[in-house]
Coordinates of all heavy atoms in Angstrom, one line a residue:
P1 N 20.4 60.8 -167.4 CA 21.1 59.9 -166.6 C 20.4 58.5 -166.7 O 19.2 58.5 -166.8 CB 20.9 60.6 -165.3 CG 19.6 61.3 -165.4 CD 19.5 61.7 -166.9
P2 N 21.1 57.5 -166.4 CA 20.6 56.2 -166.3 C 19.7 55.8 -165.1 O 20.0 56.4 -164.1 CB 21.8 55.2 -166.5 CG 22.8 56.0 -165.9 CD 22.6 57.4 -166.2
E3 N 18.8 54.8 -165.3 CA 18.0 54.6 -164.0 C 18.7 53.8 -163.0 O 19.6 52.8 -163.3 CB 16.9 53.8 -164.5 CG 17.1 52.5 -165.3 CD 16.0 51.9 -166.1 OE1 15.0 52.6 -166.4 OE2 15.9 50.6 -166.1
A4 N 18.6 54.1 -161.8 CA 19.3 53.3 -160.6 C 18.3 52.2 -160.3 O 18.8 51.2 -159.7 CB 19.5 54.2 -159.6
L5 N 16.9 52.5 -160.4 CA 16.0 51.4 -160.1 C 15.4 50.9 -161.4 O 14.8 51.5 -162.3 CB 14.8 52.1 -159.3 CG 13.7 51.1 -158.9 CD1 14.2 50.2 -157.7 CD2 12.4 51.8 -158.4
P6 N 15.8 49.6 -161.8 CA 15.4 49.0 -163.1 C 13.9 48.9 -163.2 O 13.3 48.2 -162.4 CB 16.1 47.7 -163.0 CG 17.1 47.7 -161.9 CD 16.6 48.7 -160.9
R7 N 13.4 49.5 -164.2 CA 12.0 49.5 -164.5 C 11.5 48.2 -164.8 O 10.4 47.8 -164.6 CB 11.7 50.5 -165.6 CG 11.9 50.1 -167.1 CD 11.5 51.2 -167.9 NE 12.4 52.4 -167.8 CZ 12.0 53.6 -168.1 NH1 10.8 53.9 -168.5 NH2 12.9 54.7 -168.0
N8 N 12.3 47.3 -165.4 CA 11.9 46.0 -165.8 C 11.7 45.0 -164.6 O 11.1 44.0 -164.7 CB 12.7 45.3 -166.8 CG 14.2 45.1 -166.3 OD1 14.5 45.7 -165.2 ND2 14.9 44.3 -166.9
L9 N 12.1 45.5 -163.4 CA 11.9 44.6 -162.3 C 10.7 45.1 -161.3 O 10.3 44.4 -160.4 CB 13.1 44.6 -161.4 CG 14.4 44.0 -162.0 CD1 15.7 44.1 -161.0 CD2 14.1 42.5 -162.3
I10 N 10.2 46.2 -161.5 CA 9.4 46.9 -160.6 C 8.1 46.2 -160.5 O 7.7 45.8 -159.3 CB 9.1 48.4 -161.1 CG1 10.2 49.3 -161.0 CG2 7.9 49.1 -160.2 CD1 10.2 50.7 -161.4
Q11 N 7.3 45.9 -161.7 CA 6.0 45.3 -161.4 C 6.1 43.8 -160.9 O 5.4 43.5 -159.9 CB 5.2 45.4 -162.7 CG 3.8 44.8 -162.5 CD 2.9 45.1 -163.7 OE1 3.4 45.5 -164.8 NE2 1.6 44.8 -163.5
S12 N 7.1 43.1 -161.4 CA 7.3 41.7 -160.9 C 7.7 41.7 -159.3 O 7.3 40.7 -158.7 CB 8.3 41.0 -161.8 OG 9.6 41.6 -161.6
E13 N 8.5 42.6 -159.0 CA 8.9 42.6 -157.5 C 7.9 43.3 -156.5 O 8.0 43.0 -155.4 CB 10.2 43.3 -157.5 CG 11.4 42.5 -158.1 CD 11.8 41.2 -157.4 OE1 11.6 41.1 -156.2 OE2 12.0 40.3 -158.2
T14 N 7.1 44.2 -157.0 CA 6.2 44.9 -156.1 C 4.9 44.9 -156.4 O 3.9 45.4 -155.7 CB 6.7 46.4 -156.1 OG1 6.4 47.1 -157.4 CG2 8.2 46.6 -155.8
G15 N 4.4 44.6 -157.6 CA 3.0 44.7 -158.1 C 2.6 45.9 -158.5 O 1.4 46.2 -158.9
L16 N 3.6 47.0 -158.5 CA 3.2 48.4 -158.9 C 3.8 48.7 -160.3 O 4.6 48.0 -160.7 CB 3.9 49.4 -157.8 CG 3.5 49.2 -156.4 CD1 4.3 50.1 -155.5 CD2 2.0 49.4 -156.2
V17 N 3.3 49.8 -160.8 CA 3.8 50.2 -162.1 C 4.2 51.7 -162.0 O 3.6 52.5 -161.3 CB 2.8 50.0 -163.3 CG1 2.5 48.6 -163.4 CG2 1.5 50.7 -163.0
P18 N 5.3 52.1 -162.8 CA 5.6 53.5 -162.6 C 4.7 54.4 -163.6 O 4.3 54.0 -164.6 CB 7.0 53.5 -163.4 CG 7.2 52.3 -164.2 CD 6.2 51.2 -163.5
A19 N 4.6 55.6 -163.2 CA 3.8 56.5 -163.9 C 4.6 56.9 -165.4 O 5.8 56.7 -165.3 CB 3.7 57.9 -163.2
D20 N 3.8 57.1 -166.3 CA 4.5 57.5 -167.6 C 4.9 59.0 -167.5 O 4.0 59.8 -167.4 CB 3.4 57.4 -168.8 CG 3.1 56.0 -169.0 OD1 4.1 55.3 -168.9 OD2 2.0 55.6 -169.4
I21 N 6.3 59.4 -167.7 CA 6.8 60.6 -167.5 C 7.3 60.9 -169.0 O 8.3 60.4 -169.4 CB 7.8 60.7 -166.4 CG1 7.4 60.4 -165.1 CG2 8.3 62.1 -166.4 CD1 8.3 60.4 -163.9
Y22 N 6.6 61.8 -169.6 CA 7.2 62.2 -171.0 C 8.1 63.3 -170.9 O 8.1 64.1 -170.1 CB 5.9 62.5 -171.8 CG 4.9 61.6 -172.0 CD1 3.7 61.6 -171.2 CD2 5.2 60.4 -172.9 CE1 2.7 60.6 -171.3 CE2 4.2 59.5 -172.9 CZ 3.0 59.5 -172.3 OH 2.1 58.5 -172.4
G23 N 9.0 63.2 -171.7 CA 10.1 64.3 -171.9 C 11.3 63.9 -171.3 O 12.3 64.7 -171.3
T24 N 11.5 62.7 -170.8 CA 12.8 62.2 -170.1 C 13.4 61.3 -171.1 O 13.0 61.0 -172.2 CB 12.5 61.5 -168.8 OG1 11.7 60.3 -169.1 CG2 11.7 62.2 -167.8
T25 N 14.7 61.0 -170.8 CA 15.4 60.1 -171.8 C 14.9 58.7 -171.6 O 14.3 58.3 -170.6 CB 16.9 60.2 -171.5 OG1 17.1 59.5 -170.2 CG2 17.4 61.6 -171.6
E26 N 15.3 57.8 -172.6 CA 14.8 56.5 -172.6 C 15.5 55.7 -171.4 O 14.9 54.6 -171.0 CB 15.2 55.9 -174.0 CG 14.3 56.4 -175.0 CD 14.5 55.6 -176.4 OE1 15.3 54.6 -176.5 OE2 13.8 55.9 -177.4
S27 N 16.6 56.2 -171.1 CA 17.5 55.4 -170.1 C 17.1 55.8 -168.7 O 17.4 55.2 -167.6 CB 18.9 55.7 -170.2 OG 19.3 57.0 -170.1
S28 N 16.2 57.0 -168.6 CA 15.8 57.4 -167.2 C 14.5 57.0 -166.8 O 13.6 56.8 -167.6 CB 15.8 59.0 -167.2 OG 17.1 59.4 -167.6
L29 N 14.3 56.6 -165.5 CA 13.0 56.3 -165.0 C 12.2 57.4 -164.6 O 11.1 57.4 -164.7 CB 13.2 55.3 -163.7 CG 12.0 54.8 -163.0 CD1 11.1 54.0 -164.0 CD2 12.4 54.0 -161.9
G30 N 12.9 58.5 -164.0 CA 12.1 59.7 -163.4 C 12.5 60.9 -164.1 O 13.2 60.9 -165.2
W31 N 12.0 62.1 -163.5 CA 12.3 63.3 -163.9 C 12.9 64.1 -162.6 O 12.3 64.2 -161.7 CB 11.0 64.1 -164.4 CG 11.2 65.5 -165.0 CD1 12.0 65.7 -166.1 CD2 10.9 66.7 -164.4 NE1 12.1 67.0 -166.3 CE2 11.4 67.7 -165.4 CE3 10.0 67.1 -163.4 CZ2 11.1 69.0 -165.2 CZ3 9.8 68.4 -163.1 CH2 10.3 69.4 -164.0
H32 N 14.2 64.5 -162.8 CA 15.0 65.1 -161.7 C 15.0 64.0 -160.6 O 15.0 64.3 -159.4 CB 14.3 66.4 -161.1 CG 14.6 67.6 -162.0 ND1 15.7 68.2 -162.2 CD2 13.7 68.2 -162.9 CE1 15.7 69.2 -163.0 NE2 14.3 69.3 -163.5
G33 N 15.2 62.9 -161.1 CA 15.4 61.7 -160.2 C 14.0 61.2 -159.4 O 14.1 60.5 -158.6
Q34 N 13.0 61.6 -159.9 CA 11.7 61.3 -159.2 C 10.7 60.6 -160.0 O 10.6 60.9 -161.3 CB 11.0 62.6 -158.7 CG 11.9 63.4 -157.7 CD 11.2 64.7 -157.3 OE1 10.4 64.6 -156.3 NE2 11.5 65.7 -158.0
T35 N 10.0 59.6 -159.5 CA 8.8 59.0 -160.2 C 7.8 58.6 -159.1 O 7.9 58.8 -158.0 CB 9.3 57.8 -161.0 OG1 8.3 57.4 -161.9 CG2 9.6 56.6 -160.1

């Protein structure tokens, strides 16, 4: 499933970075919708 929260905006907007979750699709940000 495609990401609802765009990963390319996360660090610039919040100063945070997402965890690396391996085994998900390239279009997904999380696993079962979580990150």
